Amino acid sequence: MNASDPAGPISTGEFAARMDRLGGFETRPRVAVGVSGGADSLGLVLLAQSWAVERGGDALALIVDHGLRAESAAEAARVGGWLQARGVAHAVLRWDGEKPATGIQEAARAARHRLLAERCREEGVLHLALAHHRDDQAETVLLRFARGSGIDGLAGMAPVRAGGAVRVIRPLLDLPHERLQATCRAFGQEWIEDPSNSNPRFARARLRATGEALAAEGMDAPRLAGLARRAARARNALEAGTAALLAEAAEVHPEGWLRLDPKPLLGASEELGLRALVRCIAVIGGAPYPPKDEAAERLFAEIAGEDFQGRTLGGCRILPRKGHLVIAREPVGVTERLALTPGGEVWWDRRFAVRLWPGAGGAVTVAKLGREGWQRVRSAGPDSGRIGLPEPVRETLPALWDGNGLAAVPHLGFSRPGFPLSAVALHAPGVVMAGPAFPVVSDRVGII
């Protein structure tokens, strides 16, 4: 495949150049690719497999079966068969359990990201490639504009998101959908059309239906992608300023809370101060999305006042303490319970990586310590009452529970008699505190 036609298939050489620009790969790279069965993701996984094998590595295709349509399992098996025939390793990940009655696409997206990230961690894969392209980027910008997003929203999706244990990459973000279809044809690869892509129940499908009218008014995919690129440059500059501000004002603790000096935030430009506050809430709260701009602005104004008594926002409690703010996870929002077996690891409450060593005994459940659990710890060791943790932090610590009740609390060094303290809980939020959370590859080398 040596095509160079800008409307034709993506050549292996062009793809290799794109991956080189993203950088950060091992000598023998292992890359996971999210595969839906459409032309976009199938084209990407075939290109990624060729690229990785040439370098002594390999690609792993991860097919998510959301179980939302009767035929989804058969489609996943069909895609798996195609990949197996081409020598591409693959796994089908199923979204089990009850599905919400509303907001199904958002819930499915969150489930897909969770399943993909968990499998990458299990396989030791550091890079997850997604097949978002220029048309997806344009739709994202329009949707976020309609919702009143600021610079972050208008910057759309980033080609690299380096948060957590898995780096998400989008090497095709500035290419049109037609080129991915052409790539599949060049490989002789069939694909599946998802009927939800044209279902008017969903906002993206409604936008696609108005594509010609929007393009006639100058809002075509290339122009919207250009807007995203320019907004991303501005976002990067703001990220640098926010990182410097947080380095001065924030003190993050391993138990999943932080102490914030509000004076540097209030003394900075309002945009930087707001961004720093929202970033703190996003890191500690564990919510998949940051709080809405209007709510964050109200909180910022209240903090600037003289009689701030505390608030909840974004899954956090924000409390004044001796001239500083304590930002801690809101206990009532911590409801997740995850099974953990010896030798395993779970990402709990989107905040902690909890590991149980091999040979640790039986399975346990990871859940919050809660008020009752804290009282048990204090009863077992009165000195624990002097541990300098703010009250809401104590209740939201990850704890191990089994059939006999509270077994261990890694952060407190507590374990029930007869239960070995054989677990570790590391603060691993889904949002990084500071630094290049949204890296932008220069448009001068062809990638947004």
Side-chain angles (χ1 to χ4, degrees):
M1 294 177 61
N2 296 311
S4 57
D5 180 358
I10 303 162
S11 71
T12 52
E14 179 185 353
F15 184 78
R18 289 173 170 276
M19 296 294 273
D20 288 345
R21 291 169 196 149
L22 295 179
F25 298 101
E26 315 93 294
T27 304
R28 298 176 180 273
R30 294 195 69 210
V31 180
V33 182
V35 178
S36 66
D40 305 331
S41 58
L42 281 168
L44 173 59
V45 74
L46 296 177
L47 289 166
Q49 170 75 350
S50 175
W51 171 83
V53 168
E54 282 185 3
R55 289 155 181 77
D58 62 86
L60 171 64
L62 299 177
I63 307 163
V64 177
D65 175 11
H66 294 95
L68 298 176
R69 294 182 291 112
E71 59 273 26
S72 65
E75 289 178 354
R78 185 182 180 194
V79 174
W82 288 337
L83 295 169
Q84 184 174 352
R86 292 181 176 275
V88 180
H90 72 280
V92 176
L93 314 177
R94 291 180 174 83
W95 181 25
D96 296 321
E98 294 185 12
K99 309 299 190 294
T102 59
I104 188 63
Q105 280 208 321
E106 181 175 330
R109 188 178 306 113
R112 180 167 62 252
H113 290 172
R114 174 179 58 80
L115 290 168
L116 291 172
E118 287 177 354
R119 188 55 179 257
C120 285
R121 284 194 292 271
E122 291 171 6
E123 297 282 346
V125 175
L126 303 178
H127 318 280
L128 171 63
L130 302 178
H132 294 115
H133 48 74
R134 188 179 69 186
D135 301 343
D136 294 323
Q137 183 77 301
E139 291 169 2
T140 297
V141 171
L142 278 174
L143 285 169
R144 292 180 178 177
F145 178 77
R147 294 168 183 164
S149 293
I151 287 292
D152 283 0
L154 297 181
M157 295 176 283
V160 180
R161 192 180 74 234
V166 181
R167 186 177 73 134
V168 175
I169 59 174
R170 297 181 176 93
L172 310 176
L173 199 51
D174 63 334
L175 296 181
H177 171 62
E178 290 77 14
R179 290 203 64 191
L180 287 153
Q181 289 181 317
T183 301
C184 280
R185 294 190 189 100
F187 272 109
Q189 177 61 58
E190 300 176 72
W191 65 83
I192 296 170
E193 295 288 354
D194 186 343
S196 66
N197 289 337
S198 55
N199 188 334
R201 286 178 53 205
F202 304 123
R204 284 187 182 270
R206 293 194 296 273
L207 276 180
R208 291 177 189 130
T210 61
E212 290 186 12
L214 290 171
E217 297 299 327
M219 289 188 287
D220 58 9
R223 183 163 293 182
L224 289 166
L227 170 61
R229 182 177 63 247
R230 290 186 289 276
R233 286 201 301 260
R235 179 175 65 183
N236 239 25
L238 290 168
E239 282 293 314
T242 303
L245 189 56
L246 287 170
E248 177 184 0
E251 180 183 294
V252 185
H253 292 258
E255 301 89 359
W257 64 286
L258 63 83
R259 181 179 286 109
L260 183 67
D261 182 356
K263 293 188 290 296
L265 274 64
L266 298 173
S269 68
E270 185 177 4
E271 177 65 20
L272 286 181
L274 270 169
R275 292 176 73 89
L277 178 63
V278 168
R279 180 59 56 79
C280 291
I281 292 171
V283 168
I284 301 302
Y289 300 104
K292 293 185 179 299
D293 292 343
E294 296 86 351
E297 289 163 0
R298 286 195 298 271
L299 174 61
F300 194 73
E302 290 177 16
I303 291 171
E306 296 181 358
D307 57 350
F308 178 64
Q309 300 297 313
R311 275 276 305 279
T312 59
L313 183 65
C316 291
R317 291 182 66 184
I318 301 95
L319 304 169
R321 291 288 188 275
K322 299 179 180 179
H324 286 70
L325 298 176
V326 166
I327 300 182
R329 182 77 163 94
E330 187 179 12
V332 71
V334 184
T335 59
E336 188 169 45
R337 300 176 62 86
L338 296 178
L340 180 60
T341 56
E345 176 179 332
V346 293
W347 190 38
W348 178 76
D349 197 41
R350 295 178 55 85
R351 298 185 300 135
F352 288 99
V354 185
R355 302 170 189 160
L356 189 61
W357 304 132
V364 296
T365 297
V366 183
K368 71 178 179 183
L369 179 60
R371 188 169 300 174
E372 178 185 353
W374 172 251
Q375 292 301 325
R376 293 188 191 182
V377 172
R378 288 201 62 184
S379 298
D383 287 348
S384 62
R386 294 200 293 270
I387 294 174
L389 292 178
E391 177 266 331
V393 177
R394 304 167 187 167
E395 296 185 28
T396 60
L397 290 173
L400 309 184
W401 302 79
D402 61 14
N404 295 314
L406 181 64
V409 188
H411 283 105
L412 301 181
F414 168 84
S415 62
R416 188 180 64 224
F419 188 96
L421 185 57
S422 52
V424 63
L426 302 176
H427 189 216
V431 176
V432 296
M433 187 66 185
F438 301 99
V440 178
V441 180
S442 170
D443 56 310
R444 292 182 177 86
V445 293
I447 299 180
I448 296 172

